[in-house]
Amino acid sequence: MGITTSPGVSAKKRPWRVTFKKQWQLYLMSFPMLFYLLLFAYVPLLGWVMAFQEFRPRFGLSPIGQVMSNKWVGLENFKTLLDNTTILGQRFLQSVVNTLGQSILILVLGFFLTIMLSLLLNELRLTGVKRFVQNVLYLPHFLSWVIVAMLASTALSLPGSGGFLNDFLLKVGIVDRPIQFLADPGYFWGIVAGTHLWKNLGWNTIIYMAAMTSIDPNLYEAASIDGANRYQKMWHVTLASIRPTIVLLLIINIGMLLTSGFEIQWLLGQGVNIVRSENIDVFVLRYGIKMGNFSLATAAGILRTVVSILLLTGSNFVARSLKQETLF
């Protein structure tokens, strides 16, 4: 006979206690990661208060003393960033355009090429060849951006300086004189997208390849019985089975459209191409941190975070409206 207790209390507390008692080892194992997230991801958000101040660091004061000793300016730093009548505002808005342009190019090229490459890798039947090709494709991911920038700078230089791309274009007759890729701002977004593709294309196939391993082989056998050829099985079985993974990664990538990287833009950016190379991260470092204007840098970071959340929420809403997989 069960013990009769107050239904309103026991029904809510007993499952939680029972679950915790059975899984306390899992909760204990997750504690270091939760502590790490709180310390390095959420505690620094307290620094957002600088965006609403004319912040000047003062030595010898506690964090609370730093906050209380600085002048509050409300939304002035945000107005400065969004004012296109000032040079600083124009530079920030141009950096937003550059970030979006570079990110969209990386997303469009990288997203579709990664799926295509994953499908092709999945069709390789010789295991040794498949592993060799995968290892070759993964290797660029482990190179630092400094090395990638140096390789890109050399490849895009003039033929006399080792620029093999110009050398190739001249030999096949596509151009009749060398192109100064890094001196022409019009090429910079493509250079950023190209370096990201070369470095991360193979690595990004890992998630799709992992999703393909979970496809039921009986689906391929059924498709063969129905008369489907190899390309039809790729389209109707493989691609259809990994569609939830594709949708989730697309939502995540759309939420990161205002994050196009920093290293390649900083290392290959020059005065002649600054109109296309300066993205938000470079702007924050150049006009915020290096000039001691921490309030402006923080305000730029907050604007980017807010817009990213809106993009993520909006893309998730569209996916839900289309009855696709969603993040939340």
Side-chain angles (χ1 to χ4, degrees), residues 177-215:
R177 59 180 179 178
I179 301 173
Q180 295 186 343
F181 289 101
L182 294 177
D184 189 339
Y187 291 107
F188 200 85
W189 289 4
I191 294 171
V192 172
T195 51
H196 273 269
L197 277 178
W198 183 79
K199 190 175 189 297
N200 296 319
L201 183 63
W203 185 258
N204 290 340
T205 61
I206 291 177
I207 297 177
Y208 294 110
M209 294 295 291
M212 291 175 189
T213 58
S214 64
I215 299 175

Side-chain angles (χ1 to χ4, degrees), residues 36-50:
Y36 173 85
L37 283 175
L38 284 173
L39 187 61
F40 293 104
Y42 289 98
V43 172
L45 292 181
L46 297 175
W48 278 13
V49 71
M50 288 190 295

